[in-house]
Amino acid sequence: MDAFEINKIAGATLTALLVIFGSKTTLDIVYKEHKPEKPGWALPITAAPPSKTGGPVAAFDPAKVVELLPKASTEGGQDVFKRCLQCHTPDKGGRNLVGPNLWGVIGRKVAEAPGFPYSDAMKTKGGEWTWAELVKYLHDPKAAIPGNKMAFAGVKDDAELADLLVYMRKLADTPPALPK
C-alpha cells in the first residue's frame, strides 16, 4: 500500500465524519427554534462610577483643581495640551481649526475668538473664561455647556487639569495671575 492509498482512505473517513456531524448540525439549525432566554440586554446603570477603592466617586469640585494651580507643572501641562492640538492652535494670531485659537483664552469673553463660528449654546453662555469656568469646562465640556460643539470628553484627572491650565496661562502676552 502506497501513500496515495493511505490519503484516499483518510479522505474518505474525514468526508464520512463531515457528512454525519455536518448533517446533524444542519438539522439542528433548521428545525430547532432558538429563542433567547431573555430578549435584549440589561445594561448596568449606576449613579456614579465606582472609584478605585470600590466606593462611589465624589462629585467633581472645581475649587480643588484651582487650589492645585500654584503647584502645577507647566511641562506636564504641555504634554496634556498635545491632545488639544488636533483642534486648536496655541500661537498668537494663529488660525482657527475645528476649535478656536487659544492664545489669550484666560480672561477672554466666552465665544469671542475672532473669526470662529461658535455654537448657539456657546454664544448664549456669556461671561468670560475665568479659572473656575475653564476648570468646569475642560473637565466635562458637554456638562458645563450643554449643546456646544466640542467633541473632547474632558480632562478627568485633577492634577492633569491643573497642569493644563498652568500651561495655558503662558498663552498670553501678559500671563494672568494665578488665583489665591
Side-chain angles (χ1 to χ4, degrees), residues 93-118:
R95 63 190 177 104
N96 296 319
L97 299 175
V98 175
N101 177 278
L102 295 179
W103 181 264
V105 71
I106 300 171
R108 182 168 72 195
K109 291 186 188 262
V110 175
E112 292 287 323
F116 186 76
Y118 285 97

Side-chain angles (χ1 to χ4, degrees), residues 71-160:
K71 300 173 190 163
S73 161
T74 306
E75 293 80 23
Q78 189 171 8
D79 289 340
V80 176
F81 191 78
K82 289 177 183 175
R83 299 181 217 163
C84 307
L85 291 174
Q86 295 176 19
C87 301
H88 300 278
T89 57
D91 308 317
K92 182 176 182 177
R95 63 190 177 104
N96 296 319
L97 299 175
V98 175
N101 177 278
L102 295 179
W103 181 264
V105 71
I106 300 171
R108 182 168 72 195
K109 291 186 188 262
V110 175
E112 292 287 323
F116 186 76
Y118 285 97
S119 65
D120 291 335
M122 192 65 80
K123 289 177 187 174
T124 58
K125 167 78 169 110
E128 68 177 40
W129 289 117
T130 63
W131 293 104
E133 288 298 317
L134 274 170
V135 167
K136 285 187 255 180
Y137 185 69
L138 293 175
H139 174 73
D140 190 354
K142 294 292 179 197
I145 305 176
N148 78 77
K149 295 179 188 175
M150 189 154 145
F152 182 62
V155 179
K156 304 303 181 197
D157 183 74
D158 290 354
E160 281 187 355

Side-chain angles (χ1 to χ4, degrees), residues 15 19 29 33 44 47 77 86 90:
T15 303
V19 168
I29 291 171
E33 192 171 337
Q86 295 176 19

